[in-house]
Amino acid sequence: MKLITAVIKPFKLDAVREALSEVNISGITVTEVKGFGRQRGHTEIYRGAEYAVDFLPKIKLEIAVPDEIADLVVETIAKTAVTGKVGDGKIFVSELESVMRIRTGETNEEALS
Ligand SMILES: Nc1ncnc2c1ncn2[C@@H]1O[C@H](COP(=O)(O)OP(=O)(O)OP(=O)(O)O)[C@@H](O)[C@H]1O
């Protein structure tokens, strides 16, 4: 199993969710976050002065999936969330050791179906 953590631009959330509805994932966690990449945020002009804005709003998606669909999920997020401009985000993939569905006690792949 893999845990896919994607940080995307907030306005892309609906499109990514729509695209993921075509893939057989069992759930998704969405969190409003702030962060920066290589540009370390950006600068904004406010009343004539330039201010550095360190952290920009982003959306973090967390999706636990069986190994077989991990690549498809990553590709689906990547092709939907891309604008080609800086700040499009990143997708992190980690090994996922265990999952339990609390209601039934099912574990691992059964808990993801
Ligand atoms: N190394 C990292 N570790 C954790 N979070 C990161 C990392 N890089 C980027 N992020 C998260 O992803 C968001 C978007 O990153 P961003 O797309 O600006 O990365 P980048 O590597 O600078 O790429 P780009 O050059 O396309 O802007 C950041 O605001 C941050 O929340």
Side-chain angles (χ1 to χ4, degrees):
M1 298 174 296
K2 300 278 192 284
L3 177 62
I4 297 169
T5 305
V7 181
I8 63 170
K9 289 180 169 168
F11 83 93
K12 283 289 189 178
L13 175 60
D14 287 346
V16 169
R17 186 188 161 155
E18 179 74 18
L20 285 173
S21 70
E22 306 291 318
V23 184
N24 195 21
I25 58 172
S26 63
I28 182 164
T29 300
V30 178
T31 315
E32 292 179 7
V33 296
K34 290 182 177 178
F36 66 77
R38 290 181 299 184
Q39 283 73 30
R40 301 193 173 272
H42 66 170
T43 55
E44 280 185 358
I45 307 291
Y46 179 71
R47 294 189 175 169
E50 192 170 77
Y51 290 84
V53 179
D54 284 337
F55 296 105
L56 296 177
K58 300 286 171 183
I59 291 286
K60 182 170 77 171
L61 309 173
E62 291 166 299
I63 310 168
V65 297
D67 288 333
E68 305 82 72
I69 66 165
D71 287 347
L72 177 60
V73 171
V74 170
E75 285 160 21
T76 301
I77 296 170
K79 76 175 184 213
T80 316
V82 69
T83 68
K85 302 217 169 70
V86 297
D88 273 355
K90 280 201 172 73
I91 304 173
F92 308 92
V93 180
S94 339
E95 287 295 332
L96 182 57
E97 198 170 292
S98 71
V99 179
M100 179 188 281
R101 176 176 283 126
I102 293 174
R103 179 175 59 85
T104 59
E106 292 165 294
T107 57
N108 301 338
E109 304 253 342
E110 283 186 0
L112 291 181
S113 66

